[in-house]
Structures are given as structure tokens and as C-alpha cells.
Amino acid sequence: MTVTRSILITGAGAGIGRATARAFLAAGWEVTLLGRKPEALRETAGDQPARIVACDVGDPNQVAAAFAGLSRLDVLFNNAGISAPAAPIDEIPVDTWLEVSRTNITGMFLCARAAFGLMRRQSPQGGRIINNGSISAHVPRPGSTPYTMSKHAVTGLTRTLGLDGRAFNIACAQIDIGNALTDMAARFTKGVPQADGQIRVEPVMDVDHVARMVLHMASLPLEVNTPFVTIMARDMPYIGRG
């Protein structure tokens, strides 16, 4: 008998989260869509059966309630994240930093913590956590202090959970994405600042490539892991950035 596997996707109301959710729904997974806007989550699901959970990942009580409703979880795609307008650090309002870190760091921590606890205690034990990192987890864009700091923190989370999860049959991976064409990345097609001070258009890729990669990572047996995967538009200036 084929057992349906389950995944919870944060930030599932748009962009990478939406594309990934639709890929898992099409593949027959049991999918929980988590995000701040229920109407956007329902749009993601379309006519496919999915569990819709309105949740702010930066709120500990809301995250705890969201995961308490799950009897089992095979995979968490820890995807929710926000960016901020580019500026030198002394021109970035402290409130902007607090907002970015609340979602990109605290939110990642809270969801990973809840998933880890569930996977550790469920039977059979184990599962997989896939964190959405970024090319910025390796090298920054100009004026991106809050976002870059937050994505470096995600790498620390991935490495630690990858180590701590071994005792509980929990694998942890990170996907670092470069220039997937979403609403957030649309500006790349119009020109963005480069390390040398120029403004240039950057290549982008279809977001569905990311969704298929996450599906592949999630489908691996638990004795196999892809600790860090980079997927990017081939000609984006990542290798030469800086």
C-alpha cells in the first residue's frame, strides 16, 4: 500500500512557496499551506485538497498552534522570508532590521523548532527540514545588510539541525536560490545595482525549476541528504559578485 507523504510549506501564498506547493499537490502529497493571508493560500491550492493555515511565522503562539494540528509531518519547507529596500546600514531604520529578522530568523527558528519536535516524537521517527537560504547566504548584494545577515543565520540553522537531527532520523538541507522569477525578483529584469556601482539587468529563471528541485530533495530517503543545493539562473553574476 502506498503511503501518502506530508509536507508543510511556509510562505505558501506567493512566489517560491506557491510554485512549490503546487508541485507537491500535483505529485499527490498531503500539503499544509501556511501563510499570513488565507485568501492567497486558497488561490495557491486552487481546486486541489490542501490544509490552509493562517499563521505569522514570527509569532510563537501562532506557530505552535499551526503545528499542533498535525498528526504527522514528513517534510517542512521552511520558506517564508522577506527582503528590504537596498541602503547603506546607517540609512536602514532599526524597525526594518527587526521586521526582516523577525520573519527570516525568528520565523525560521520557530518553524524548524516545531517541526523538529514533531518529527522527533512521531512514529516512525524522523523527517526532513528544507530551509530556503539564498545566494545571499554566501555573498551579499550592495546595501543588503538585514537580508544578508538573516540568510547567513539560516546557514547556521541548517548546519546545526543537520548535526542534531542525526540522533532522531531527521535530515536538514538548504536550497540557495538565485534569480527565480517571482514578484520579489521582477526587479532583476529592469536593472539592479552591481558591486562595481553599475545598474544592470540580470538573467532570471522560471520558478518551477526551484519547485522541482525541492520536490526532488524532499523525495530522497532519509539516509540520503543534500545539505546545500544551489540553483540559479545560469548567467547571473553570482560567481563574479564582489
Side-chain angles (χ1 to χ4, degrees):
M1 181 178 67
T2 301
V3 177
T4 301
R5 301 184 67 195
S6 61
I7 183 170
L8 185 148
I9 299 170
T10 68
I16 290 167
R18 170 171 287 177
T20 303
R22 288 175 173 172
F24 277 85
L25 287 166
W29 284 57
E30 181 181 295
V31 180
T32 296
L33 307 176
L34 190 148
R36 295 183 183 183
K37 300 176 181 178
E39 63 276 13
L41 299 176
R42 286 191 286 269
E43 186 178 342
T44 295
D47 58 2
Q48 297 294 313
R51 179 171 177 257
I52 305 296
V53 179
C55 177
D56 175 357
V57 297
D59 185 310
N61 293 327
Q62 290 187 35
V63 171
F67 280 82
L70 298 173
S71 58
R72 179 170 182 85
L73 183 63
D74 294 302
V75 178
L76 165 67
F77 182 34
N78 211 3
N79 166 71
I82 61 173
S83 60
I89 190 170
D90 59 317
E91 296 178 14
I92 297 172
V94 173
D95 284 348
T96 297
W97 157 250
L98 293 174
E99 182 182 10
V100 171
S101 62
R102 183 178 185 273
T103 298
N104 294 13
I105 301 177
T106 300
M108 281 271 185
F109 171 85
L110 292 174
C111 291
R113 179 179 182 271
F116 194 99
L118 178 57
M119 292 171 180
R120 177 180 177 180
R121 293 171 178 84
Q122 65 192 6
S123 181
Q125 187 182 63
R128 189 182 306 272
I129 296 170
I130 301 173
N131 294 324
N132 187 346
S134 171
I135 297 297
S136 292
H138 302 273
V139 290
R141 287 185 176 276
S144 65
T145 300
Y147 186 77
T148 298
M149 286 181 66
S150 73
K151 291 304 183 178
H152 276 65
V154 173
T155 298
L157 175 66
T158 301
R159 292 187 185 279
T160 306
L161 295 185
L163 180 62
D164 292 350
R166 293 176 182 177
F168 309 108
N169 202 30
I170 299 171
C172 188
Q174 180 168 315
I175 183 165
D176 295 322
I177 302 160
N179 291 17
L181 186 53
T182 63
D183 289 343
M184 186 183 293
R187 59 194 177 94
F188 299 143
T189 65
K190 300 174 182 178
V192 290
Q194 304 296 310
D196 61 4
Q198 296 185 32
I199 304 293
R200 286 199 294 272
V201 170
E202 293 189 10
V204 295
M205 63 178 175
D206 193 310
V207 70
D208 287 341
H209 295 303
V210 177
R212 288 195 293 270
M213 180 62 75
V214 176
L215 179 59
H216 170 69
M217 294 166 72
S219 300
L220 292 169
L222 285 178
E223 63 267 22
V224 179
N225 195 26
T226 52
F228 293 93
V229 171
T230 298
I231 182 168
M232 55 179 263
R234 187 196 65 195
D235 295 337
M236 70 171 289
Y238 162 48
I239 302 301
R241 193 185 293 179

